[in-house]
Amino acid sequence: MLSDTLHEVLQRLENAARDAARPVPRLLAVSKTQAATAVAELAAAGQRAFGENYVQEALAKQKSLNDDALEWHLIGHLQSNKAAIAATAFDWVQTLDREKLVPLLATARATSRPPLNVLIQVNIDDETSKHGCRPDDVPALAGAIVAQPRLALRGLMAIPAPDPDLQRRRIAFRRMRSLFDDLAGQHPQVDTLSMGMSDDHAIAIEEGATMVRVGTGLFGRRERRESEMGNQAKPQTS
Ligand SMILES: *Cc1c(COP(=O)(O)O)cnc(C)c1O
């Protein structure tokens, strides 16, 4: 039962936070490649926040679920030509990593809705990755975001390199927490540090994550591989 797994994961987050003397982080359920029925099952068990990597996949699930109480987070790379639709389809965009996206998201966010919550994605340790801004670029990007009333700067997000050496991931998480503390010092509304996934969320919590993103740990193994997902989705999605 997915509801049992959800309660086990929430219990693990609580235990990790207690052991580390940190606040309990929010759980983002990463539902990419999972069926809408699985999302509905978790929603019925009380889970509200869901993360998707592709705009079109998220839209399809939202349509079949038709549940206004759910909160949708974009956690996949955002292409400029998908910014306008992302600003409509999501409550949070966690992958804002370049200034060009700022006006595109802001102008597309309807004034009838609350401002779009955004996290700046930081490329904390992976020089080969094309995604995420450099740590040095965070203050300027944050300044551009807070100048837009249709956007709400909430914090930072990172996907450290999947290093089998968990101590190296810990160092990346620690650097993120320090960047996050600097940013929160500049912008008091900043309250979210999104880091840690199924296999490393305990370390991320120790280092001060306020939101962890768990996919396989909740839903089990993804049916389709992400590479297949990406190829399949390429013509119409981000
Ligand atoms: C898929 C994904 C996750 C979840 O990964 P799991 O290892 O399945 O928990 C978290 N964050 C991002 C950005 C992802 O793409």
Side-chain angles (χ1 to χ4, degrees), residues 30 32 53 75 157 159 197-198 213-216 222:
V30 175
K32 64 180 173 208
N53 290 49
I75 59 171
M157 177 270 212
I159 313 169
M197 316 202 300
S198 292
R213 308 180 304 265
V214 178
T216 47
R222 283 182 276 280

Side-chain angles (χ1 to χ4, degrees), residues 6-185:
L6 173 65
H7 291 120
E8 282 162 26
V9 169
L10 290 171
Q11 191 61 57
R12 279 212 302 277
L13 301 189
E14 260 179 50
N15 293 345
R18 193 196 47 230
D19 292 348
R22 297 274 194 185
V24 181
R26 276 193 88 193
L27 173 63
L28 182 71
V30 175
S31 49
K32 64 180 173 208
T33 79
Q34 308 293 347
T37 48
V39 173
E41 214 178 313
L42 280 188
Q47 176 63 24
R48 289 208 35 220
F50 291 89
E52 289 283 342
N53 290 49
Y54 299 98
V55 178
Q56 297 299 335
E57 185 184 347
L59 284 171
K61 267 173 227 180
Q62 290 166 2
K63 196 167 169 222
S64 72
L65 287 161
N66 193 25
D67 182 349
D68 285 345
L70 301 186
E71 184 185 289
W72 294 92
H73 294 233
L74 178 66
I75 59 171
H77 176 64
L78 180 56
Q79 287 180 349
S80 305
N81 64 358
K82 290 290 181 301
I85 186 163
T88 305
F90 291 92
D91 302 293
W92 290 64
V93 167
Q94 297 205 3
T95 49
L96 203 173
D97 65 353
R98 56 202 190 280
E99 207 153 327
K100 186 184 176 190
L101 292 171
V102 173
L104 297 175
L105 289 168
T107 48
R109 183 68 174 183
T111 48
S112 58
R113 296 180 64 194
L116 178 68
N117 296 296
V118 297
L119 301 181
I120 297 172
Q121 182 182 356
V122 181
N123 185 347
I124 195 65
D125 65 353
D126 187 357
E127 276 132 44
T128 61
S129 165
K130 295 186 293 281
H131 305 320
C133 73
R134 291 181 305 135
D136 288 351
D137 294 336
V138 168
L141 199 43
I145 293 165
V146 299
Q148 295 283 356
R150 303 307 308 139
L151 302 181
L153 176 67
R154 299 294 296 271
L156 301 176
M157 177 270 212
I159 313 169
D163 198 314
D165 178 354
L166 289 179
Q167 288 315 310
R168 269 191 254 162
R169 289 197 227 177
R170 180 186 296 282
I171 290 164
F173 291 144
R174 194 167 292 171
R175 291 173 62 206
M176 282 302 299
R177 178 68 203 205
S178 154
L179 274 180
F180 171 78
D181 288 338
D182 290 347
L183 186 67

